[in-house]
Amino acid sequence: MSFWIRYIYNTSILIAGLLLLSSCQRESVKLKWDKNQKGEIRTLVLADDTKVKYTAYEKIFYTSKESDSTYQYMNIYVPCRMREDNPPIFLKTYVGGYMASKARGPLANDATAYALSEGYVVCIVGSRGWNSKFMNMHVGRAPAAIMDLKAAVRYLHANDSIMPGDAERIIADGTSAGGALVALLGASGNNADYALPLELLGAADARDDIWTVVSYCPVTDLEHSDMAYEWQFCSINDVRGLSDRQLLLSSQLASSYPDYLESQGVSEDKMDSWIRKYILQAASVAVSEGQEIAPETGVSLSDTTVDVSKFLRYMAGVQPLKSPPAFDALNVVNKYSTFENKLFGSVNGQDANFTEFAVKNQLSGNYKLSEDVKWKTHLMNPMEFIGKKGSTMSKHWYIRYGVLDRDTSFPVQLLLKHKLKVAGADVNFALQWGEAHSGDYQLTNLFEWLAKL
């Protein structure tokens, strides 16, 4: 409970600060959709010059006690030609690097434009991130981002009967850290672990479950990502330019991962076979679309084999790999931090380690993984909630990951898919040939799949 005690204390300070700024405060948010508001009619020109008309309703605050009004609102866009009387809501987050993200307008080259052209109501949500600040307090550290997304979903559910779109069919789309957040949103619907902070945030008293998750290259399961990364890449350490200490760290992390795999009901051999299977599938699809598979990839469709070591060397030649630990930096106490260290940091701006391995291997000092950080990592990891009692899990999942993505690893994606399948979810999973760390590609395939749900 120590985490929530501190959370309540810090929140009370923020609320007091907001009240002191009464001269520039807006009126209290009622969290109710105004049926009489007049939106602005706009036209979006797509990449193929198709024009899509829609009505824009912007800067809709989804909490009554926001600490960073620069980000904590959403925009709603309603196509003039809807696919049905009450179409699904396509909810988009542009979070990257677990940083703050503004609620943008629809973009002609991503899924928001495609969704509008297909007749979906589009909801673009802004949210806090580790770089959000108010009165010198870092108000966007974990679990702020997921709280904001849940608050937005609660607003949609609370106003479902009076606003455009069907809140029973919310489709959440995100990439990278955003992909991890929509996965968490889909895994932890209505879970009581989030109830108190959502109440303090001034979220609507409503549900926060969603119907469908669209997750591209989710940077998730952060507590185990360092191990997964080294398990995948340690066989090509000779081309990574690592120091002797980093080589030792790589070996230690890689050797720890099989135990975690076993705890999830997956053997090393099974994970290796999955990786080969999905790389081959991605290559096969690419060939069917007219692409060529270079010999240096180590992938042979003629005899259905993958030389994994050769393929990983090919990946490393395309872009440099991360050094171990890839996510939880050992020198965080000396001001070298990854975005993930910043995510789990404190409201006073101090970054934090979040794995036992990093804490035990600090270069100097005697540090301990705090209970606060342990609770934060729990709240930010969808693996903690999938199939667990007390969570309303999304029914449908669309997960894509580029075969050249070195920002996280194949095992993280495949374990997410595995755990969802075991829990009974409908999972459409694939690797994408030629893609690195990116999202919103092959949109025709995505929306054809959505149309069949």
Side-chain angles (χ1 to χ4, degrees):
M1 288 297 293
S2 62
F3 175 78
W4 291 134
I5 291 171
R6 292 174 188 234
Y7 193 98
I8 292 169
Y9 173 73
N10 291 323
T11 302
S12 66
I13 292 176
L14 292 173
I15 293 171
L18 287 168
L19 293 175
L20 287 172
L21 298 176
S22 57
S23 61
C24 62
Q25 271 202 314
R26 57 186 177 76
E27 293 183 5
S28 177
V29 175
K30 295 179 181 178
L31 300 183
K32 187 172 183 180
W33 177 263
D34 181 2
K35 293 187 293 184
N36 298 317
Q37 65 181 306
K38 293 184 178 180
E40 180 181 340
I41 303 296
R42 299 177 185 171
T43 300
L44 182 67
V45 181
L46 307 185
D48 63 357
D49 291 330
T50 301
K51 294 181 179 179
V52 179
K53 285 189 176 183
Y54 63 95
T55 306
Y57 303 92
E58 297 184 327
K59 212 150 191 179
I60 299 163
F61 290 89
Y62 50 73
T63 74
S64 60
K65 300 173 185 175
E66 75 278 354
S67 60
D68 193 342
S69 58
T70 304
Y71 300 103
Q72 288 176 284
Y73 64 85
M74 59 187 177
N75 299 330
I76 303 291
Y77 302 102
V78 182
C80 293
R81 292 185 178 180
M82 294 194 291
R83 63 183 296 112
E84 54 194 88
D85 290 339
N86 197 29
I89 298 172
F90 193 87
L91 185 152
K92 176 72 173 178
T93 174
Y94 285 103
V95 169
Y98 287 102
M99 293 185 285
S101 174
K102 286 189 176 181
R104 307 177 186 176
L107 300 179
N109 61 348
D110 75 3
T112 56
Y114 210 114
L116 279 175
S117 69
E118 289 292 309
Y120 294 85
V121 171
V122 172
C123 171
I124 302 178
V125 181
S127 58
R128 294 167 294 167
W130 59 258
N131 55 331
S132 297
K133 293 181 71 175
F134 174 77
M135 294 179 65
N136 293 320
M137 297 182 69
H138 294 250
V139 297
R141 303 297 176 106
I146 188 59
M147 298 305 170
D148 288 349
L149 291 181
K150 282 179 172 287
V153 171
R154 284 190 172 201
Y155 182 99
L156 297 175
H157 277 293
N159 292 278
D160 192 26
S161 63
I162 56 174
M163 69 180 293
D166 182 3
E168 297 298 322
R169 294 185 292 165
I170 296 172
I171 303 160
D173 174 289
T175 297
S176 188
L181 286 170
V182 297
L184 180 56
L185 196 62
S188 65
N190 308 317
N191 192 281
D193 288 352
Y194 301 89
L196 177 58
L198 284 168
E199 182 180 348
L200 293 171
L201 192 61
D205 184 13
R207 290 159 39 207
D208 53 63
D209 58 285
I210 61 173
W211 181 52
T212 298
V213 172
V214 176
S215 179
Y216 291 91
C217 56
V219 179
T220 192
D221 196 12
L222 296 174
E223 302 97 299
H224 306 100
S225 289
D226 286 323
M227 294 187 294
Y229 200 87
E230 298 311 315
W231 182 87
Q232 176 171 314
F233 288 113
C234 68
S235 66
I236 60 164
N237 277 347
D238 58 307
V239 300
R240 294 175 70 183
L242 303 180
S243 67
D244 288 344
R245 176 167 171 76
Q246 288 172 332
L247 287 169
L248 177 61
L249 294 172
S250 175
S251 176
Q252 291 172 337
L253 285 164
S255 64
S256 298
Y257 195 56
D259 286 343
Y260 177 62
L261 286 175
E262 291 289 347
S263 75
Q264 301 300 305
V266 178
S267 67
E268 280 191 279
D269 287 344
K270 174 61 73 174
M271 179 58 69
D272 181 71
S273 68
W274 284 345
I275 291 171
R276 295 170 189 273
K277 168 187 172 182
Y278 284 105
I279 288 175
L280 283 169
Q281 286 184 359
S284 179
V285 171
V287 168
S288 72
E289 295 173 346
Q291 300 182 54
E292 294 185 3
I293 307 302
E296 56 265 31
T297 63
V299 177
S300 173
L301 291 177
S302 60
D303 55 7
T304 63
T305 60
V306 179
D307 183 333
V308 174
S309 181
K310 190 173 183 179
F311 182 79
L312 295 178
R313 289 177 186 276
Y314 173 74
M315 285 183 66
V318 174
Q319 54 184 334
L321 303 178
K322 295 180 179 182
S323 300
F327 300 90
D328 194 2
L330 297 189
N331 296 327
V332 64
V333 294
N334 295 320
K335 305 302 181 184
Y336 174 76
S337 301
T338 65
F339 286 170
E340 291 77 18
N341 292 132
K342 295 179 184 298
L343 170 68
F344 294 114
S346 64
V347 292
N348 65 12
Q350 185 175 358
D351 302 335
N353 287 113
F354 54 90
T355 64
E356 294 286 358
F357 182 88
V359 169
K360 291 177 181 177
N361 285 277
Q362 289 291 353
L363 298 178
S364 62
N366 183 19
Y367 303 95
K368 183 180 180 182
L369 194 62
S370 72
E371 293 302 314
D372 285 6
V373 170
K374 290 179 182 179
W375 188 244
K376 287 180 180 180
T377 57
H378 163 74
L379 293 174
M380 295 300 293
N381 192 346
M383 302 291 279
E384 295 281 303
F385 299 95
I386 294 171
K388 298 294 179 65
K389 185 178 181 180
S391 293
T392 306
M393 187 177 71
S394 296
K395 295 180 179 178
H396 309 289
W397 295 70
Y398 184 94
I399 303 172
R400 290 295 185 271
Y401 184 69
V403 296
L404 299 179
D405 193 333
R406 60 92 215 211
D407 285 52
T408 179
S409 61
F410 295 128
V412 168
Q413 315 300 313
L414 289 164
L415 269 187
L416 175 62
K417 176 252 182 186
H418 168 71
K419 196 157 189 174
L420 288 167
K421 291 288 286 185
V422 169
D426 164 35
V427 185
N428 184 322
F429 177 91
L431 300 183
Q432 184 67 32
W433 189 261
E435 287 290 341
H437 199 64
S438 60
D440 278 14
Y441 45 73
Q442 297 286 323
L443 291 175
T444 300
N445 292 344
L446 168 62
F447 281 89
E448 286 177 353
W449 177 76
L450 290 174
K452 296 175 183 177
L453 298 182

